[in-house]
Amino acid sequence: MVEKPNKFQAALLAGIIFGVLSSIPFVNFVNLCCCLWIVAGGAVAARTLINRSPVFPVTSGEGALVGLLSGVISSLVYLVVGIPLSLLLKGSNVALTQKLAELVNDPNFRSQMEQMIRQNESQSAAEQLAGGLIFWLICSVLAIGFGALGGVIGVAMFEKRKGQPLPPMPPPPGPPGGYTGYAPPPGGQPPTY
Amino acid sequence: MLMSSRKLAASTYAGVLILVLVWIAGIVSDPLIRAAGGDDSTLLSLLAHAYGRVCHQIADRSFHIAGHPLAVCARCFGIYVGYLAGLIVYPFARSLTQTELPPRSWLIAALVPVAVDVAGGYLGIFENTLASRALTGLIAGAAGAFYTLPGLVSLAASLFKAQTTAAPGDEGDNVTQGDAVRA
């Protein structure tokens, strides 16, 4: 019997990679475009599942499930990597945001960035940690939803086998050499299969 | 838990529709609360942070209600409203129980306008506007509903182990053929 590929394994690698990308400051800005890292993570997980499933075409539901798992893993990676990283790099984040704010021509956007910097500087580490955990909860819900959507989109993009019939079953292993075919038992009925 | 595939598909559809309505209500409620002079800073902060995870929220690139920007930019708003429109049209266009995805080329075609709008704006080929961002997002979002809903129905079928025998009148039902059998 042909085994179906493990969905968790397919989701794990994509979840970790896109979870790390979502955790790195400034690289995670891609998520500001409708959670694009998370959607991409779901799509890559679906692609991995398709590659690991040479016999069965992957259904849209399986894509949604593997994308959802990828989103869960990404959010866990964000909890373990992203929140500590944002606390550790608080100083350099503020400096980089200040430089970015100087480069921005739009006065409204610049004032928003400056307000964000002031808020960031005035918060203690405990306040930042509590805020980070609340953000993580919000992110987790979003990551699960967008990951599932990414998984379905991944199936739509990468699964080319539509309702293909299953390949023929391989013949059962025959008895060792010398077998010349079925010989009915004396006086008996041939077996039915 | 056994449930006919048609009921399960309808429940999934209703659930997704409610979630999308709540999501869009959150986007619109942010400026409405501000316009009404609401000072519930906790709720406003929660809304701003929740939508701030998925959108840059630049005020100049957003629609405004009573002088206050929506919680997401025009393109994101277009995508979500388009998704809602796609969901509303969906049951009239194809069966809810159908889990086969539409052809991939349609999805790519629906994503081309938004890609051209983004690329044209960034490369300075043309100046995109609030309307162009919203309209291209609307097309992508509407197409997205047609690709994601079958997947979510199929996922629900495998999670809740839909009844393998279709209810009477379930013509074209294929929720369980590929999913419950495999589950």
Side-chain angles (χ1 to χ4, degrees):
Chain A
M1 184 175 170
V2 181
E3 288 283 321
K4 282 191 296 177
N6 189 322
K7 292 184 186 69
F8 183 76
Q9 283 178 357
L12 189 63
L13 189 64
I16 289 173
I17 291 172
F18 287 91
V20 168
L21 288 172
S22 300
S23 304
I24 300 171
F26 295 99
V27 176
N28 61 11
F29 277 9
V30 173
N31 272 336
L32 296 184
C33 182
C34 293
C35 266
L36 202 54
W37 278 143
I38 302 298
V39 173
V44 168
R47 174 74 191 252
T48 310
L49 188 69
I50 290 164
N51 287 347
R52 289 182 178 194
S53 178
V55 177
F56 294 110
V58 173
T59 65
S60 52
E62 288 170 330
L65 184 58
V66 79
L68 188 148
L69 286 173
S70 161
V72 170
I73 293 163
S74 291
S75 69
L76 290 176
V77 169
Y78 182 77
L79 177 68
V80 176
V81 179
I83 292 176
L85 205 61
S86 65
L87 290 176
L88 279 173
L89 300 176
K90 182 188 169 189
S92 55
N93 275 348
V94 169
L96 203 54
T97 313
Q98 272 171 338
K99 279 186 180 171
L100 276 175
E102 287 164 13
L103 293 173
V104 170
N105 291 326
D106 180 358
N108 288 335
F109 188 39
R110 191 189 296 169
S111 70
Q112 279 181 7
M113 288 180 92
E114 284 166 354
Q115 191 187 346
M116 198 172 74
I117 292 164
R118 279 195 299 275
Q119 270 184 347
N120 210 344
E121 281 176 331
S122 64
Q123 280 182 333
S124 67
E127 281 174 333
Q128 279 208 322
L129 181 64
L133 289 174
I134 292 168
F135 294 159
W136 173 72
L137 276 176
I138 296 168
C139 283
S140 300
V141 175
L142 295 175
I144 290 167
F146 280 94
L149 297 186
V152 182
I153 290 169
V155 172
M157 297 295 279
F158 304 122
E159 180 55 273
K160 292 169 185 165
R161 303 161 294 180
K162 299 283 179 193
Q164 281 181 342
L166 292 177
M169 291 291 285
Y179 181 71
T180 55
Y182 169 71
Q189 291 279 328
T192 53
Y193 294 104
Chain B
M1 182 184 166
L2 287 177
M3 191 188 283
S4 87
S5 53
R6 178 172 276 195
K7 274 187 187 169
L8 185 74
S11 307
T12 308
Y13 172 77
V16 174
L17 193 64
I18 289 167
L19 275 177
V20 174
L21 279 170
V22 168
W23 182 253
I24 292 175
I27 294 171
V28 179
S29 64
D30 187 292
L32 286 179
I33 293 170
R34 289 178 200 276
D39 57 351
D40 189 349
S41 58
T42 311
L43 177 64
L44 286 174
S45 167
L46 198 68
L47 284 171
H49 283 128
Y51 291 105
R53 310 307 296 185
V54 296
C55 181
H56 52 69
Q57 298 180 317
I58 298 173
D60 281 357
R61 288 176 165 254
S62 309
F63 290 117
H64 287 63
I65 294 178
H68 299 277
L70 296 184
V72 294
C73 71
R75 183 171 289 123
C76 289
F77 188 65
I79 290 172
Y80 301 133
V81 171
Y83 194 89
L84 177 66
L87 279 181
I88 292 168
V89 171
Y90 191 95
F92 301 104
R94 68 200 305 251
S95 167
L96 283 178
T97 54
Q98 200 174 340
T99 55
E100 280 287 310
L101 297 175
R104 183 179 12 172
S105 51
W106 294 6
L107 179 62
I108 294 168
L111 293 176
V112 165
V114 76
V116 169
D117 193 57
V118 170
Y122 274 106
L123 298 174
I125 299 168
F126 55 82
E127 186 78 22
N128 54 25
T129 61
L130 282 183
S132 77
R133 290 174 205 138
L135 193 66
T136 53
L138 200 84
I139 295 167
F146 279 79
Y147 286 86
T148 53
L149 191 67
L152 298 176
V153 168
S154 174
L155 175 65
S158 60
L159 288 179
F160 294 102
K161 303 276 190 294
Q163 217 170 295
T164 50
T165 52
D170 263 7
E171 291 89 2
D173 178 9
N174 61 2
V175 165
T176 56
Q177 286 171 4
D179 307 298
V181 171
R182 290 152 169 274

